[in-house]
Amino acid sequence: MAEIPTKQGRINYSKKVWLARLKKKGLVGYIIFLFNKQRNNTADGSFAWVKEGHFINENPKPHGHGFSKQLREFVYLYGTKLGDFRFLAQFWWIIWLSLIAFGWHKHTKFVQILRLAVIGGFVYLLIFEGGRSRYLIQFLPMFLLLAVFCYQDSFRFFNRVYKWANKINKRTA
């Protein structure tokens, strides 16, 4: 692409490559590709933290004393508690996504705009970038706001399901 001098030439080349890939994979294959790409985009709650390269050039081993050392152990590549960070990040990511998914009854304008922004972010990543969770971090504020605005509806839904399950359980007991 960098060698093509004109914008129209790059557009034509992109269309040609996309059509060749579509012919090679077929429509079903391309849909499967997009599904897998979306799964990769949203799977990692740590947003690929320290998975690609070293973000600290000097001494990558955590050093220091007290709270700062504990924090470094938690987030540095060679920290002894990095696995704990990844677990907690994934745990909170699942909670946020659950709050968003089960808070579908909330229909204020702002919540609808946030939902549209999240869907737009997904579409953008499917078309232009994506394939890794690190690209999703640019849309993190919308996810957090949406989870905050939808949590009450989600809790109401979970409460109804819990009461329904208890009612069923009492009938069978």
Side-chain angles (χ1 to χ4, degrees):
M1 291 282 286
E3 295 175 4
I4 301 172
T6 65
K7 181 180 176 181
Q8 189 60 43
R10 290 189 295 270
I11 290 171
N12 292 339
Y13 176 76
S14 294
K15 285 180 184 177
K16 185 175 117 181
V17 169
W18 184 76
L19 287 172
R21 287 180 184 163
L22 186 59
K23 284 182 184 178
K24 180 181 175 188
K25 291 179 184 276
L27 183 61
V28 173
Y30 189 69
I31 290 171
I32 291 170
F33 163 77
L34 289 177
F35 178 80
N36 288 331
K37 190 174 180 183
Q38 179 65 14
R39 186 190 67 210
N40 289 338
N41 283 341
T42 58
D44 186 5
S46 72
F47 302 108
W49 180 253
V50 301
K51 286 189 178 179
E52 296 180 15
H54 301 277
F55 69 103
I56 300 172
N57 292 332
E58 61 270 7
N59 185 2
K61 297 223 181 232
H63 59 282
H65 302 288
F67 179 73
S68 65
K69 179 167 175 39
Q70 292 301 316
L71 186 60
R72 288 182 186 116
E73 291 284 355
F74 194 64
V75 297
Y76 275 27
L77 178 61
Y78 295 105
T80 58
K81 295 179 173 55
L82 182 62
D84 296 339
F85 165 75
R86 288 190 174 140
F87 174 80
L88 286 174
Q90 189 68 24
F91 177 75
W92 282 109
W93 183 237
I94 290 169
I95 287 175
W96 290 333
L97 291 180
S98 298
L99 290 174
I100 292 168
F102 292 108
W104 66 82
H105 291 304
K106 188 80 164 182
H107 293 295
T108 64
K109 274 188 184 179
F110 189 64
V111 168
Q112 295 295 64
I113 289 170
L114 289 172
R115 285 184 180 132
L116 188 59
V118 167
I119 291 169
F122 286 154
V123 171
Y124 170 79
L125 291 177
L126 285 174
I127 294 172
F128 297 109
E129 300 228 11
R132 299 183 195 139
S133 294
R134 71 181 181 157
Y135 294 117
L136 198 63
I137 201 165
Q138 60 196 333
F139 304 107
L140 186 59
M142 287 162 290
F143 281 100
L144 295 176
L145 286 171
L146 199 51
V148 167
F149 284 114
C150 292
Y151 84 93
Q152 288 179 330
D153 286 336
S154 297
F155 284 172
R156 277 190 222 111
F157 173 78
F158 293 140
N159 193 23
R160 282 195 312 266
V161 170
Y162 178 76
K163 287 179 181 177
W164 175 78
N166 272 343
K167 187 188 274 186
I168 297 292
N169 191 24
K170 286 179 182 177
R171 286 183 193 165
T172 59

